[in-house]
Amino acid sequence: MKTLVKTALFAVASLAPATLSTAAFAADLPDLGGREVVMASENTYPPLQFIDTSGAAVGWEYDAVAEIASRINITVVYENTSWDAMIPAITAAQYDVAMNGITIRDDRKEQVDFSRSYLTSQMRMIVAGDETRFDDAAGFAADPDLLAAAQPGTTPFYVTVYDVLDGDEANPRIKLFETFGASLQALRVGDVDLALSDSTAANGFVAASGGALKIIGDPLGTEDFGFIFPKGSDLVAAFDAALDAMEADGTLAALNKKWFLDYKMGQ
C-alpha cells in the first residue's frame, strides 16, 4: 500500500486527466440502498478534517467520504468524539466507521478493521519559528532540558519515544496533552520545544501559523492512513471498492491537489 501515488507529497505530480470515467466503475460498486452510516470524527486535523472559519466541518476526509457515500449509496451521519475515545468506541461498535488520519498499525488491527490505505504521510518535527537550539532529532535528544509534546497512544507519541528519544514511554521529557491543538499551543507559548505530526497536518499548521512555527529535520518514517470499522464490518469491502475506483479515475489525486496544494497556498 505504500505507493507514492497515494502519498500527498507526491500524488499531485501525477494529475493527468483520468482516462476512465466514474460511470465505468459504477457497475462494480455495491449499492447499499441509502443505508445510514454513523461516522466518528474529531475535526482537529487540518487539512484532513477541521472546523473552518464559518463553523463548518470540512477537509480531505469529508470530501472523500461524501464521494464514497455517493458511489455506494449510503447516508452518512457525523458524530464528534475525542481521539482517546475513538478506537474503543469503534471496537464496541458504537459507531459504524471513524476517520481522523488514523495510522494503519498491526496492534490496532487486533481491535478494529481498516480500509485500504487512502493516503501515506511522514512524521515531521514542528518547532517554534525562532528555534535555533537544535535542527534535527539528534540535536533535540542531546539536550536534556528540551521537552516534547504528544497525545498518548498516537503515532507521534510512539515516534517521539522510539525514534527521537530513548524508548522509554514514561520519559519525563514527553509532556502529554489531550489534543494535538493543545500540543501546538504549548509549543507556541514555550511550554514545550517540539511536537511531531504527519506531514499533511504539519504542513497545514505551519502554513497557517504566519511564521510562528516551522518544520525542521528529515522525515521520521512513513505512515498509511485508513478508515476504521468494528471487526467484521461489511462496510470495509464497500469503502475499499469505492476508494479503488476513486484512485483509478483520478478523484483521489484531485482531492490531494485541492487540500495539499491549493489549500496550503491559500493560507
Side-chain angles (χ1 to χ4, degrees):
M1 288 296 185
K2 294 184 178 180
T3 56
L4 293 183
V5 70
K6 293 193 290 291
T7 304
L9 299 179
F10 299 98
V12 292
S14 55
L15 292 175
T19 57
L20 297 174
S21 68
T22 300
F25 299 96
D28 298 325
L29 295 178
D31 183 340
L32 300 188
R35 170 178 164 184
E36 182 176 287
V37 172
V38 181
M39 167 77 77
S41 177
E42 191 182 30
N43 294 331
T44 59
Y45 208 171
L48 293 182
Q49 29 107 341
F50 61 102
I51 303 299
D52 69 11
T53 55
S54 73
V58 298
W60 192 103
E61 290 179 331
Y62 277 102
D63 283 1
V65 169
E67 183 67 23
I68 291 168
S70 175
R71 294 184 186 222
I72 64 175
N73 191 15
I74 58 175
T75 300
V76 181
V77 177
Y78 290 100
E79 296 283 349
N80 189 252
T81 189
S82 69
W83 164 251
D84 287 346
M86 189 173 290
I87 292 179
I90 289 291
T91 302
Q94 295 175 12
Y95 307 109
D96 298 310
V97 58
M99 64 181 190
N100 196 47
I102 303 170
T103 303
I104 299 172
R105 291 191 349 210
D106 288 341
D107 60 330
R108 291 174 179 165
K109 289 179 180 179
E110 297 175 1
Q111 305 174 66
V112 299
D113 284 343
F114 278 92
S115 70
R116 52 153 280 186
S117 171
Y118 58 76
L119 196 68
T120 300
S121 190
Q122 298 174 310
M123 284 287 104
R124 301 307 306 263
M125 300 174 65
I126 306 174
V127 299
D130 59 357
E131 180 61 72
T132 59
R133 294 167 296 174
F134 63 101
D135 57 14
D136 58 18
F140 175 86
D143 187 339
D145 294 328
L146 299 176
L147 303 176
Q151 286 176 275
T154 63
T155 296
F157 170 80
Y158 291 113
V159 172
T160 301
V161 170
Y162 294 102
D163 292 7
V164 178
L165 294 174
D166 57 3
D168 178 7
E169 294 185 13
N171 191 315
R173 292 181 61 184
I174 303 175
K175 301 303 178 184
L176 301 179
F177 294 87
E178 291 187 1
T179 68
F180 183 66
S183 297
L184 286 188
Q185 181 59 28
L187 181 60
R188 283 174 175 269
V189 301
D191 291 340
V192 298
D193 308 292
L194 170 69
L196 266 60
S197 176
D198 72 275
S199 58
T200 59
N203 287 328
F205 279 116
V206 169
S209 74
L213 302 172
K214 65 182 179 181
I215 294 172
I216 64 167
D218 294 327
L220 296 173
T222 61
E223 56 180 354
D224 288 299
F225 295 153
F227 300 107
I228 61 171
F229 307 80
K231 280 288 190 180
S233 173
D234 63 337
L235 289 171
V236 177
F239 269 61
D240 283 354
L243 287 168
D244 285 344
M246 290 162 64
E247 181 173 51
D249 68 19
T251 301
L252 293 185
L255 289 179
N256 289 337
K257 179 179 183 297
K258 174 181 177 180
W259 289 107
F260 299 112
L261 283 184
D262 298 344
Y263 168 76
K264 180 179 177 183
M265 291 173 65
Q267 292 297 305

